[in-house]
Amino acid sequence: MDERHRTADLSRRQLLGVGAIGALAPAAGCSRGGLSRRESEEAASFYPSRMIGRVADLKVDVPVAFVYPDPGSPAVLLRLGHPVLRGAGPGRDIVAFSTLCPHKGYPLGFCAADRSLVCPGHFSRFDCELGGQQIWGHATQNLAQIKLAVDDEGAISAVSIDELIYGRLHNVL
Ligand code: FES
């Protein structure tokens, strides 16, 4: 290959390389899911902050039902008795999840034996100690976890959700 062809070949490869990188790179200001950081922050700001319980009232492995962010979205508050992933409160052991199975929306039940939420529909299981990670079954995503805030008096508030609730295009309707 003479010098002229080598230069033309190199330029073509450089151009293709830049084009490929350009095609894969997200547009400026975009993040995963196609929302810009500002759009994500705006979406988060739409979540209501709602008190759902008190640390002193929770017993280990005794689930407390509540709804969030609206009455059409059942959820469960759990105290697991030891620090867990994304756990809130002084012991980092308080978590909350949607109880609608992400597969087809069956209502989940808590299994204290392995700290999982279990679906009676097609038997998916979600690990409450690992942020709702799916550990078995037909579902194709982890369970929506509700982010909690705990104040100095032990009041627990639901403040946002990390995944889409089953059947919704937007968590806040
Ligand atoms: Fe829960 Fe199918 S609805 S696994």
Side-chain angles (χ1 to χ4, degrees):
M1 185 181 292
D2 67 26
E3 189 56 37
R4 194 178 42 163
H5 283 114
R6 198 179 353 258
T7 303
D9 187 52
L10 184 60
S11 296
R12 188 167 53 244
R13 275 194 245 157
Q14 285 173 328
L15 182 64
L16 288 171
V18 169
I21 291 169
L24 292 174
C30 287
S31 60
R32 263 181 62 207
L35 292 179
S36 69
R37 180 185 300 271
R38 187 176 58 78
E39 288 169 329
S40 296
E41 287 169 357
E42 282 177 2
S45 72
F46 290 127
Y47 282 103
S49 177
R50 182 167 304 138
M51 186 178 159
I52 56 171
R54 295 195 158 276
V55 172
D57 296 335
L58 295 179
K59 295 181 173 48
V60 173
D61 289 341
V62 178
V64 176
F66 68 102
V67 293
Y68 184 80
D70 56 64
S73 176
V76 66
L77 179 64
L78 296 163
R79 185 169 199 174
L80 299 175
H82 61 90
V84 295
L85 185 66
R86 295 195 285 274
R92 315 303 297 171
D93 64 340
I94 300 170
V95 289
F97 298 94
S98 167
T99 51
L100 294 179
C101 180
H103 180 222
K104 291 194 174 180
Y106 278 59
L108 303 174
F110 180 63
C111 173
D114 66 354
R115 272 65 182 288
S116 68
L117 283 160
V118 183
C119 180
H122 313 100
F123 312 114
S124 286
R125 302 180 81 93
F126 304 90
D127 193 329
C128 299
E129 296 176 330
L130 291 177
Q133 180 175 304
Q134 184 187 350
I135 49 178
W136 181 261
H138 285 50
T140 56
Q141 69 179 63
N142 296 333
L143 191 57
Q145 182 167 20
I146 296 168
K147 187 174 178 188
L148 303 174
V150 179
D151 71 15
D152 293 343
E153 273 90 51
I156 306 165
S157 296
V159 295
S160 66
I161 308 174
D162 74 344
E163 298 268 0
L164 266 183
I165 298 166
Y166 172 78
R168 296 191 176 196
L169 295 176
H170 305 280
N171 282 341
V172 180
L173 301 177

